[in-house]
Amino acid sequence: MRIERLQEYISEKGLDAALITRRENLFYFTGSSPVLGGYLVVTPDESVFLVPELEYEEAKETSKVPVEKFKAGKGLYERLKSFKLRKLGIEGRTSFSMVQALREKAGVEDFDVLDEVIKELRIIKTKEEIEVIEAACKIADMAMMAALEEISEGKREREIAAEMEYVMKMNGAEKPAFDTIIASGWRSALPHGVASDKRIERGELVVIDEGALYRHYHSDMTRTIVVGSPNEKQKEIYEIVLEAQKKGVEAARPGITAKELDTIVRNIIAEYGYGDNFIHSTGHGVGLEIHEWPRVSQQDDTELKPGMVITIEPGIYIPKFGGVRIEDTVLITENGAKRLTKTERELI
Amino acid sequence: MRIERLQEYISEKGLDAALITRRENLFYFTGSSPVLGGYLVVTPDESVFLVPELEYEEAKETSKVPVEKFKAGKGLYERLKSFKLRKLGIEGRTSFSMVQALREKAGVEDFDVLDEVIKELRIIKTKEEIEVIEAACKIADMAMMAALEEISEGKREREIAAEMEYVMKMNGAEKPAFDTIIASGWRSALPHGVASDKRIERGELVVIDEGALYRHYHSDMTRTIVVGSPNEKQKEIYEIVLEAQKKGVEAARPGITAKELDTIVRNIIAEYGYGDNFIHSTGHGVGLEIHEWPRVSQQDDTELKPGMVITIEPGIYIPKFGGVRIEDTVLITENGAKRLTKTERELI
């Protein structure tokens, strides 16, 4: 069905073929993900997955699309040329050098970007994809549990991240979904405070933002705690973020747009007077990439539909004082939304 | 000096400016590496590092180049347009979408690829860079030590990788330099056998290929062991690979080309009758990227020079039987080469 939709698209657009080279899309369309990469050529009536010789045996076993090997050096472009590609659909992130080579060595004259049709397919997750994302979220919950147990006064942020990533890997994850964020004290006011050598001190806010990569799919969640007892201000902003996050999860459902959802969450924080301290969007799609569609922001009018997987992650950041963010990965269902990351949210 | 060389280059080529967007090059030229990315514009007489608003404060503290923030949305392209860029130098891996946007929104007419001048600069490491790479190699040695201690019958490959990556992170690494390879038994015949759920069994060859990312620089090393006692065939191929690797390190010195070094190593393996089982090149440069220049292969005539950092990593792979690879990261010095990864090589 995936390849068929691509074929339909290239026919509609009058393209000779589509060429897929990004790892996540190769996996999506072929079921195979060679370490050394590969080139999926889809024409209106055939599809061939070209891989380096070293990858041939493994790709043959995993690919749903016929596999062919090419020789290092000129092999790839000679084979591509044989398809007589004049108008070629490519991914927007295809490199300039590759585009140059396709012009010069494979005779391509015109390029069209395939991103819209790939988005249309990948934005709705199948039952099988949802199961894998649920498993990735379960691993993220385990890592969060480890963090909540391990964090204490005097430990370095990086040590906590090391423990969490160990738990992920021991539970089957390929690796962290992104550089684990452990941001304590003044660093918690940075939305992207990747774990550093800073020691965690008593009374500090600690933002823990993490996820696992499991069988090619990502998970993403954030919790914030205070080591020791929170002060009034910390409690205040925590309660606001918690309310916004919960109401966001309650509001997420088919029919609402990503922008509307962002507005609902944003307004709650603004009503408490912290609108200027919520300095990023409410969330983003999650799947084969950690940041994909829809963007839960003022710039995205996508209507939510069952099978979409998004994050809901409001935050309040006060420079020098610190920050709070609470985030879950959430599945849009027939009549609402289901949290796939399940660690409790009442932590302060 | 780095920016100056870039300016010299764009003047020679008649370009209006260079635009740098890749993370490793932004760090190389500015000393800053914003999580959300950035855009370094270098004209013949000025340089400006454009970053998203959220990154401004941090970039200002770390960047050696003047920093300016741009607003989300159109801000970036409007600012780029103000430079009046007609002929622009870009990295070969700049995306097709970005190139399109530069044409349509910033008025760029012609593009030239900067990769050669960036390579010319980055291929020779400074004293400061070498110190960081040495530290990255030291962490790789620690992780290898952990692997050699932990590997035993019945453990899963992934568990060993988890232990190693924990050791890396606890010793200051940002993360593994690449997906840690633990390839046991028949999997050791795969040159890229990323740690799987396979259990390690007695008598199996186990290839351990790993490295650390430390302060933006990579390390890379491989050792191979047998759990229990090796058999004759395992010993035979181990000895051949060890001889080839040692002679490769001895031969590496200023004046020899990367290709000649590959030939020396390759011939040793071929003389023992295993030429067809050495199915990859002898090595590659290591630095801000795990695979950079020179390529120690038949395709690269680069003359080795002091300050280059390369891997030397011959291997023999016998399908279904297993494989052996031994690899060090090596610094080219004034009169030879120095191993930066130091774990002993006599392990079988």
Side-chain angles (χ1 to χ4, degrees):
Chain A
M1 198 224 95
R2 294 171 181 178
I3 296 265
E4 285 73 359
R5 177 69 190 102
L6 210 50
Q7 288 176 320
E8 203 179 280
Y9 180 87
I10 58 181
S11 295
E12 283 167 19
K13 289 270 177 177
L15 304 174
D16 297 311
L19 175 67
I20 303 290
T21 64
R22 302 267 314 167
R23 200 162 295 270
E24 63 276 10
N25 290 328
L26 289 176
F27 178 76
Y28 186 76
F29 287 106
T30 72
S32 183
S33 181
V35 175
L36 302 176
Y39 303 82
L40 171 63
V41 181
V42 177
T43 71
D45 41 39
E46 69 169 327
S47 49
V48 186
F49 188 26
L50 305 170
V51 302
E53 282 184 298
L54 269 182
E55 300 284 1
Y56 183 62
E57 295 301 327
E58 223 173 323
K60 246 192 347 186
E61 275 180 37
T62 47
S63 175
K64 289 171 276 184
V65 172
V67 177
E68 229 186 81
K69 55 190 165 185
F70 63 84
K71 280 202 193 297
K74 290 182 184 169
L76 174 65
Y77 288 96
E78 276 171 13
R79 180 66 177 102
L80 289 174
K81 199 168 181 181
S82 75
F83 286 99
K84 301 196 193 308
L85 310 169
R86 294 292 165 270
K87 289 192 72 172
L88 183 66
I90 58 173
E91 295 145 297
R93 281 186 281 178
T94 305
S95 74
F96 180 68
S97 294
M98 172 107 202
V99 169
Q100 296 267 71
L102 286 166
R103 274 191 213 282
E104 290 162 17
K105 300 187 214 166
V108 182
E109 288 163 12
D110 256 331
F111 294 91
D112 188 70
V113 171
L114 300 169
D115 296 5
E116 275 304 311
V117 64
I118 293 174
K119 166 182 163 183
E120 172 202 313
L121 285 165
R122 277 181 43 198
I123 200 171
I124 305 291
K125 273 69 179 174
T126 62
K127 194 167 151 286
E128 291 69 30
E129 288 182 294
I130 291 165
E131 281 170 14
V132 179
I133 295 172
E134 280 185 307
C137 287
K138 204 167 170 181
I139 296 171
D141 276 324
M142 291 182 213
M144 187 58 78
M145 183 111 45
L148 298 177
E149 277 167 20
E150 290 291 331
I151 286 181
S152 61
E153 201 182 342
K155 283 203 184 166
R156 292 185 194 278
E157 293 171 354
R158 194 190 298 276
E159 289 169 22
I160 307 300
E163 297 283 351
M164 294 169 75
E165 294 174 6
Y166 179 78
V167 168
M168 287 182 201
K169 195 127 189 173
M170 290 298 278
N171 284 287
E174 275 106 62
K175 59 177 122 179
F178 51 87
D179 292 353
T180 300
I181 290 173
I182 310 274
S184 61
W186 65 270
R187 296 190 77 245
S188 62
L190 309 172
H192 297 104
V194 172
S196 76
D197 287 326
K198 177 184 174 305
R199 289 190 194 275
I200 295 165
E201 289 173 38
R202 180 155 293 269
E204 286 186 336
L205 285 162
V206 187
V207 172
I208 310 153
D209 188 347
E210 51 101 10
L213 179 70
Y214 177 72
R215 297 193 180 177
H216 303 278
Y217 286 84
H218 297 75
S219 56
D220 195 356
M221 76 182 302
T222 308
R223 293 295 182 268
T224 302
I225 60 164
V226 168
V227 179
S229 307
N231 62 33
E232 284 310 308
K233 181 86 171 177
Q234 289 169 337
K235 267 194 253 180
E236 183 204 343
I237 63 172
Y238 192 89
E239 290 303 325
I240 298 167
V241 172
L242 183 60
E243 182 185 335
Q245 204 267 353
K246 284 185 169 177
K247 290 195 171 155
V249 175
E250 283 161 24
R253 63 184 60 250
I256 191 175
T257 68
K259 179 177 174 174
E260 285 162 359
L261 180 55
D262 182 74
T263 302
I264 289 168
V265 173
R266 196 164 296 284
N267 283 349
I268 294 167
I269 291 178
E271 277 160 24
Y272 285 102
Y274 287 100
D276 289 344
N277 301 89
F278 180 20
I279 52 181
H280 54 69
S281 57
T282 292
H284 54 85
V286 177
L288 288 169
E289 289 169 272
I290 181 66
H291 294 122
E292 49 178 67
W293 331 270
R295 306 286 164 174
V296 187
S297 80
Q298 291 298 306
Q299 278 74 50
D300 192 337
D301 281 318
T302 304
E303 194 182 307
L304 299 189
K305 288 191 180 146
M308 289 185 182
V309 175
I310 59 172
T311 67
I312 299 182
E313 49 175 312
I316 292 179
Y317 309 91
I318 304 174
K320 282 169 192 143
F321 175 79
V324 170
R325 180 167 65 258
I326 301 173
E327 171 187 31
D328 285 307
T329 298
V330 152
L331 167 69
I332 307 302
T333 61
E334 288 300 328
N335 45 27
K338 180 185 165 192
R339 288 167 62 215
L340 302 184
T341 45
K342 295 176 179 170
T343 302
E344 66 166 321
R345 291 172 289 185
E346 284 79 7
L347 293 170
I348 287 189
Chain B
M1 198 223 96
R2 294 170 180 178
I3 295 265
E4 286 73 0
R5 177 69 190 104
L6 210 49
Q7 288 175 321
E8 204 178 280
Y9 180 87
I10 59 181
S11 296
E12 283 167 20
K13 289 271 177 176
L15 304 174
D16 297 311
L19 174 67
I20 303 289
T21 64
R22 301 267 314 169
R23 199 162 294 271
E24 62 277 9
N25 290 328
L26 289 176
F27 178 77
Y28 186 77
F29 287 106
T30 72
S32 183
S33 181
V35 175
L36 302 175
Y39 303 82
L40 171 65
V41 181
V42 178
T43 71
D45 40 39
E46 68 169 328
S47 48
V48 187
F49 188 25
L50 306 170
V51 301
E53 282 184 297
L54 270 182
E55 301 284 0
Y56 182 63
E57 294 301 328
E58 223 173 321
K60 245 192 348 186
E61 276 180 37
T62 47
S63 175
K64 290 171 274 184
V65 172
V67 177
E68 227 185 83
K69 55 189 165 188
F70 63 84
K71 280 202 192 300
K74 288 182 188 168
L76 174 65
Y77 288 96
E78 276 171 13
R79 180 66 177 103
L80 289 175
K81 198 170 181 176
S82 75
F83 286 100
K84 302 196 194 309
L85 309 169
R86 294 291 165 270
K87 289 192 71 172
L88 183 65
I90 57 173
E91 296 145 297
R93 280 185 282 178
T94 304
S95 73
F96 180 69
S97 294
M98 173 107 203
V99 169
Q100 296 268 71
L102 287 165
R103 275 191 212 281
E104 290 162 17
K105 301 188 213 165
V108 181
E109 287 162 14
D110 256 331
F111 294 91
D112 188 69
V113 171
L114 300 168
D115 296 6
E116 274 305 311
V117 65
I118 293 174
K119 166 182 161 182
E120 172 202 312
L121 285 164
R122 277 180 44 198
I123 199 170
I124 305 291
K125 273 70 181 174
T126 63
K127 193 167 152 286
E128 291 69 29
E129 288 182 293
I130 291 165
E131 280 170 15
V132 179
I133 295 172
E134 280 186 308
C137 286
K138 203 165 173 184
I139 296 171
D141 276 325
M142 291 183 211
M144 186 59 76
M145 184 108 48
L148 297 177
E149 276 168 20
E150 290 291 331
I151 286 180
S152 61
E153 201 183 340
K155 284 203 183 165
R156 292 184 195 277
E157 292 170 355
R158 194 190 299 277
E159 290 170 21
I160 308 300
E163 297 284 352
M164 295 170 73
E165 294 174 6
Y166 179 79
V167 168
M168 287 182 200
K169 196 128 189 171
M170 291 298 278
N171 284 288
E174 277 107 61
K175 59 178 125 181
F178 51 89
D179 292 353
T180 301
I181 289 172
I182 311 275
S184 61
W186 64 271
R187 296 190 77 246
S188 62
L190 308 172
H192 297 105
V194 172
S196 75
D197 287 324
K198 178 185 173 303
R199 290 190 194 277
I200 295 165
E201 288 172 38
R202 180 154 293 271
E204 285 185 336
L205 285 162
V206 187
V207 172
I208 309 153
D209 187 348
E210 52 98 12
L213 180 70
Y214 177 73
R215 298 191 179 180
H216 302 277
Y217 286 83
H218 297 76
S219 55
D220 195 356
M221 77 183 299
T222 308
R223 293 294 183 268
T224 302
I225 60 165
V226 167
V227 179
S229 307
N231 61 34
E232 284 312 308
K233 180 86 172 176
Q234 289 169 338
K235 266 193 252 181
E236 182 204 342
I237 64 173
Y238 192 88
E239 289 304 325
I240 298 167
V241 173
L242 182 61
E243 183 185 336
Q245 205 268 353
K246 285 186 169 177
K247 290 195 171 156
V249 175
E250 283 161 25
R253 64 184 60 249
I256 191 175
T257 67
K259 178 178 173 173
E260 285 162 357
L261 181 55
D262 182 73
T263 302
I264 289 168
V265 173
R266 195 165 297 283
N267 283 350
I268 293 167
I269 291 178
E271 278 162 22
Y272 286 103
Y274 287 100
D276 290 344
N277 302 89
F278 180 22
I279 52 181
H280 55 69
S281 58
T282 292
H284 54 84
V286 177
L288 289 168
E289 289 168 273
I290 180 66
H291 294 123
E292 50 177 66
W293 330 270
R295 306 286 165 176
V296 187
S297 79
Q298 291 299 304
Q299 278 74 51
D300 192 337
D301 280 319
T302 304
E303 193 182 306
L304 299 188
K305 288 190 180 148
M308 289 186 183
V309 175
I310 59 172
T311 68
I312 299 182
E313 50 175 311
I316 291 178
Y317 308 91
I318 304 174
K320 286 175 187 132
F321 175 79
V324 170
R325 180 167 65 257
I326 301 173
E327 172 188 29
D328 284 307
T329 298
V330 152
L331 168 69
I332 306 302
T333 61
E334 288 300 329
N335 45 24
K338 179 184 166 193
R339 288 167 61 214
L340 302 183
T341 46
K342 296 176 179 171
T343 302
E344 66 166 322
R345 293 172 287 184
E346 285 78 8
L347 292 170
I348 287 189

